Amino acid sequence: MAQAWKCAGLRWAVDGPVLTWVGGRRSVLARGKRVAFGVAEGGVRTCVGARGHACPVRAGVTGRSTGARCEECARLDRAHSVAADTMADDPRPYHVYLAWFGPGLVKVGITAYERGSARLLEQGAVCFSWLGHGPLMAARRTEELLRAALGVPDRIPYAHKRAVRAILPESEAERAAEIAGLHARAVALGGWPEALTPEPFRGVDHAGVFGIDGAERGPAAVAEVAELVAGGAIGGELVAAAGPDLHLATERGVVVLDTRLMTGWELLAAEGEPCAVPVRELRRAAGVQEGLF
């Protein structure tokens, strides 16, 4: 019987995206490489557990879940996260950032200083700039200040990010324009925590890294995988990757696979099988959206 592997998610390294597997195996993903796998007949997706611990009951989870956790494990995972404000005593320094995903799609967030730009790559941020750094609670208060004073959200749905990838401005300067203006407005605000050290605007552009920039941009995606299913398979040439998304050139056209849908399944290597998983038409932005500000 063919060897089955359980996916542990997509990670971003300095040289690009890497699929990780339970047990430590890694698959480096280079553009132009064929990515193909299937789910065995009768396969069942199970909960991935929480905080490095296996789900005690190996609960089944729906194929459309991007978290791949049962209700109890999802609660435990969030209860010990920075996002849930349950780690106020975390001694590590944090960065506050502004991230841009496409026209009108800007968010504010925080990430551990030691992680550098990894969090921004994982989210699919096309460009970003740091705002400042300092203790966790100072970073969190700054994030809240921007949300309240400037109306900047702290999260953007992945469906919105995918919808605008085909209409991104051509130049880095155009892509950075919104966060440059917002950075200036943020710096002009009063009430920043004294413990937070401000940082000047320095736009970092990931469009080339993702493969969605100018000559590097592949064909526009036409559909996205809705879920993996037992007995299903998908394969195609990797033409772009952004955040958790792989853009695969298949016989149906370019299909976006959110790799979070892979976790929890036992996956098998595939060869020339057609795209045999449920897909839905990709929602496309009709044009440049109005800015948030």
Side-chain angles (χ1 to χ4, degrees), residues 143-169:
E143 180 187 41
E144 292 297 325
L145 172 66
L146 267 65
R147 288 178 59 194
L150 301 180
V152 190
D154 64 351
R155 62 186 59 189
I156 293 174
Y158 277 99
H160 296 174
K161 300 174 188 178
R162 296 180 190 122
V164 299
R165 281 185 195 145
I167 60 167
L168 297 178

Side-chain angles (χ1 to χ4, degrees), residues 168-208:
L168 297 178
E170 289 291 332
S171 71
E172 290 189 19
E174 289 177 286
R175 293 192 290 266
E178 283 188 71
I179 55 171
L182 185 58
H183 188 284
R185 294 179 62 191
V187 170
L189 289 173
W192 280 49
E194 292 184 2
L196 193 91
T197 302
E199 297 188 39
F201 178 79
R202 293 192 184 93
V204 178
D205 195 278
H206 290 150

Side-chain angles (χ1 to χ4, degrees), residues 61-224:
V61 291
T62 175
R64 292 177 180 260
S65 168
T66 54
R69 290 187 174 90
C70 66
E71 185 175 341
E72 181 61 18
C73 286
R75 184 188 67 79
L76 289 172
D77 189 69
R78 183 164 179 80
H80 295 87
S81 70
V82 171
D85 282 335
T86 58
M87 300 173 61
D89 59 346
D90 188 340
R92 297 177 298 169
Y94 277 78
H95 256 134
V96 186
Y97 62 81
L98 291 169
W100 184 88
F101 301 89
L105 299 181
V106 181
K107 65 159 282 188
V108 61
I110 68 173
T111 184
Y113 190 94
E114 64 195 32
R115 297 205 66 209
S117 62
R119 180 64 178 150
L120 285 305
L121 289 164
E122 291 167 359
Q123 293 184 62
V126 178
C127 63
F128 80 94
S129 175
W130 303 124
L131 268 168
H133 64 273
L136 172 59
M137 296 314 294
R140 179 65 78 198
R141 286 195 297 273
T142 304
E143 180 187 41
E144 292 297 325
L145 172 66
L146 267 65
R147 288 178 59 194
L150 301 180
V152 190
D154 64 351
R155 62 186 59 189
I156 293 174
Y158 277 99
H160 296 174
K161 300 174 188 178
R162 296 180 190 122
V164 299
R165 281 185 195 145
I167 60 167
L168 297 178
E170 289 291 332
S171 71
E172 290 189 19
E174 289 177 286
R175 293 192 290 266
E178 283 188 71
I179 55 171
L182 185 58
H183 188 284
R185 294 179 62 191
V187 170
L189 289 173
W192 280 49
E194 292 184 2
L196 193 91
T197 302
E199 297 188 39
F201 178 79
R202 293 192 184 93
V204 178
D205 195 278
H206 290 150
V209 176
F210 293 156
I212 55 177
D213 176 33
E216 298 293 323
R217 183 181 296 180
V222 297
E224 60 185 338

